[in-house]
Amino acid sequence: MNDDHVLYRFSKTELFIFTYSSTITLGLIFLPYVSHLEVRSAWLKVIVAGLPMIGVFFLIQVVINKHKNSDILDLFDHYTWKIIYYLVLIYIFFNAVMACCWGVKALNLIVRSFLLHNTSELVICLFFLIVVLVGLLYGIVPITRFLVLFFIFEIIIVVAVAILFFTEDFRFIYVKPVMSTDVLTFLESSLTDLTRFTGVMPLIGFITYIKQPQQIFKTVSGAIGLVMLTYSMISLLVLGVFGFDQALVLLSPLTSLIQSSTAWEGVFQRMDMVFITIWVLSFYKIALIHFWFVHYLFVKLIPVARKTEIVNKIMIVSGILALSFIVPGYIEFNSSLYFMNLNFYAIVTPSLMCIYLLMRRPITRQGELSDG
């Protein structure tokens, strides 16, 4: 099906699940590994770091209400010079592609570390991306229904994490003090945690298919709030079970948490395998979202590509497969510069676009730039 002619309009529930599914997986895997500066306050930082993303969608909501149009990129195209529009669009497209590449790299890292130690990276990535391509060819409506159907697995993770707070493995004394560093270091480290929420950027495309785009803010902020709660619970548990020093060197804290916990004895001998299986499924969901967003932006960049949708998607998946072997992984380079770029991509860029659109008068001529 052609995503640019979707007649189906998504509900608030589907918007909530799409928002939650778009960012939760990668953030869970690397908590609190990404933040080297301050781990003791990681549970608080992930809450603080989510607030700017909520602010971005508040601005988007105000723009939608003012211009009566939920397609932010089309509005920006209309109100600005073409050269600026295409430069911004290329920048967003580049970062969306890189997000897909890093997602594939993260999947390969987890699978080779905990499941298939001797399997080549090519086999893992190729098999995964073939399955992603099949889902991508169906379009955004089946993808969203798939997300809704398997949302139960996300809830299983949240509930299981909450249960671990009441086991003998968790020691609250490891969590204190709340603030063990100065405010400047705390805020600087929070900028790194902010990258966990940049996965919600595909919402810029998805909200164009929402039934009532004038009422998206509460739903989106609620979903981001649930992500913040989940991240903070993981951070508290990692510190409460392993302590500060050991938390710094964990590759995948949640997997280590499940492996070391005695709470599942007598239930599953390898409970961590259950969680890793759920994670692989979660990777598939988050890949569908971000690969779809890359295709959405690709059609914006090259409008004539609407006529060759199947070819576009095959080309996008093949290109990202090739790039995934070139792009370094999370632990292979100094990633602070890349994280700062992600924050600019997900926070600064859409905020500046929205502020600019709020300064422009809405179009009053009937039929021009109308929503949908």
Side-chain angles (χ1 to χ4, degrees):
M1 66 179 296
N2 192 327
D3 289 339
D4 292 311
H5 295 87
V6 174
L7 298 178
Y8 181 83
R9 292 287 170 171
F10 299 108
S11 65
K12 291 181 180 178
T13 300
E14 290 166 320
L15 174 62
F16 182 94
I17 293 174
F18 187 96
T19 305
Y20 187 82
S21 300
S22 66
T23 190
I24 190 68
T25 305
L26 293 183
L28 277 178
I29 287 175
F30 294 103
L31 269 169
Y33 175 82
V34 174
S35 300
H36 301 283
L37 294 175
E38 172 51 43
V39 173
R40 294 186 194 274
S41 308
W43 67 272
L44 180 60
K45 288 188 302 173
V46 293
I47 295 176
V48 173
L51 299 179
M53 205 72 241
I54 293 176
V56 169
F57 283 95
F58 175 76
L59 288 175
I60 290 175
Q61 180 71 92
V62 175
V63 169
I64 292 173
N65 291 341
K66 178 176 181 176
H67 291 277
K68 310 302 179 186
N69 189 335
S70 59
D71 196 330
I72 302 299
L73 293 177
D74 267 7
L75 281 171
F76 190 66
D77 180 24
H78 179 83
Y79 281 112
T80 192
W81 294 321
K82 288 293 182 181
I83 183 65
I84 296 177
Y85 168 72
Y86 279 106
L87 284 174
V88 171
L89 196 58
I90 289 171
Y91 174 69
I92 295 175
F93 177 79
F94 167 78
N95 280 280
V97 169
M98 292 302 296
C100 291
C101 288
W102 273 45
V104 173
K105 297 289 286 187
L107 171 78
N108 176 68
L109 178 63
I110 293 301
V111 171
R112 295 189 70 184
S113 298
F114 297 102
L115 292 174
L116 306 174
H117 305 285
N118 300 319
T119 305
S120 70
E121 183 177 355
L122 176 62
V123 173
I124 295 172
C125 295
L126 182 61
F127 179 78
F128 175 69
L129 289 182
I130 288 175
V131 179
V132 169
L133 176 60
V134 172
L136 189 63
L137 290 173
Y138 278 96
I140 189 59
V141 175
I143 287 174
T144 304
R145 289 173 178 169
F146 174 79
L147 298 178
V148 173
L149 180 62
F150 285 94
F151 182 64
I152 183 65
F153 290 113
E154 312 286 4
I155 301 303
I156 289 174
I157 290 179
V158 175
V159 172
V161 166
I163 290 174
L164 293 177
F165 278 104
F166 303 97
T167 67
E168 61 183 13
D169 299 298
F170 179 76
R171 298 175 179 84
F172 189 75
I173 192 173
Y174 288 162
V175 178
K176 295 180 178 180
V178 174
M179 285 288 291
S180 59
T181 185
D182 60 277
V183 175
L184 184 61
T185 301
F186 177 85
L187 293 176
E188 183 182 355
S189 186
S190 296
L191 290 175
T192 306
D193 282 278
L194 182 56
T195 61
R196 304 183 196 280
F197 297 91
T198 57
V200 301
M201 274 297 285
L203 282 175
I204 288 180
F206 188 73
I207 58 177
T208 61
Y209 305 132
I210 299 298
K211 286 181 182 177
Q212 297 175 311
Q214 295 83 5
Q215 302 175 14
I216 67 166
F217 177 68
K218 288 184 179 179
T219 303
V220 171
S221 59
I224 294 175
L226 181 58
V227 173
M228 292 160 59
L229 176 63
T230 306
Y231 287 175
S232 61
M233 286 197 305
I234 297 296
S235 298
L236 282 170
L237 274 171
V238 169
L239 291 174
V241 172
F242 295 107
F244 171 70
D245 295 327
Q246 192 174 352
L248 285 172
V249 298
L250 296 176
L251 173 63
S252 179
L254 185 54
T255 302
S256 301
L257 193 67
I258 299 301
Q259 287 176 331
S260 65
S261 176
T262 59
W264 312 111
E265 292 180 0
V267 182
F268 295 104
Q269 289 185 341
R270 291 300 305 273
M271 187 65 184
D272 58 305
M273 291 294 101
V274 177
F275 274 80
I276 292 173
T277 302
I278 294 175
W279 271 359
V280 171
L281 179 61
S282 296
F283 266 109
Y284 178 61
K285 292 189 291 182
I286 200 171
L288 286 175
I289 292 171
H290 288 271
F291 275 76
W292 168 82
F293 186 52
V294 168
H295 177 259
Y296 174 86
L297 295 172
F298 182 78
V299 173
K300 290 279 188 183
L301 276 170
I302 310 174
V304 294
R306 295 175 182 174
K307 300 178 181 179
T308 57
E309 182 180 352
I310 295 177
V311 175
N312 300 341
K313 292 177 178 178
I314 294 174
M315 183 172 61
I316 287 170
V317 172
S318 301
I320 290 175
L321 173 62
L323 278 175
S324 65
F325 292 101
I326 302 173
V327 175
Y330 283 93
I331 59 176
E332 297 169 8
F333 74 112
N334 185 356
S335 53
S336 58
L337 204 58
Y338 179 75
F339 291 144
M340 291 300 295
N341 173 68
L342 273 182
N343 293 336
F344 190 88
Y345 153 69
I347 304 296
V348 179
T349 301
S351 296
L352 291 177
M353 290 171 58
C354 288
I355 292 171
Y356 174 74
L357 292 173
L358 289 174
M359 295 170 61
R360 304 303 300 265
R361 292 182 180 180
I363 295 170
T364 56
R365 284 179 291 179
Q366 185 175 5
E368 187 172 6
L369 278 178
S370 59
D371 183 42

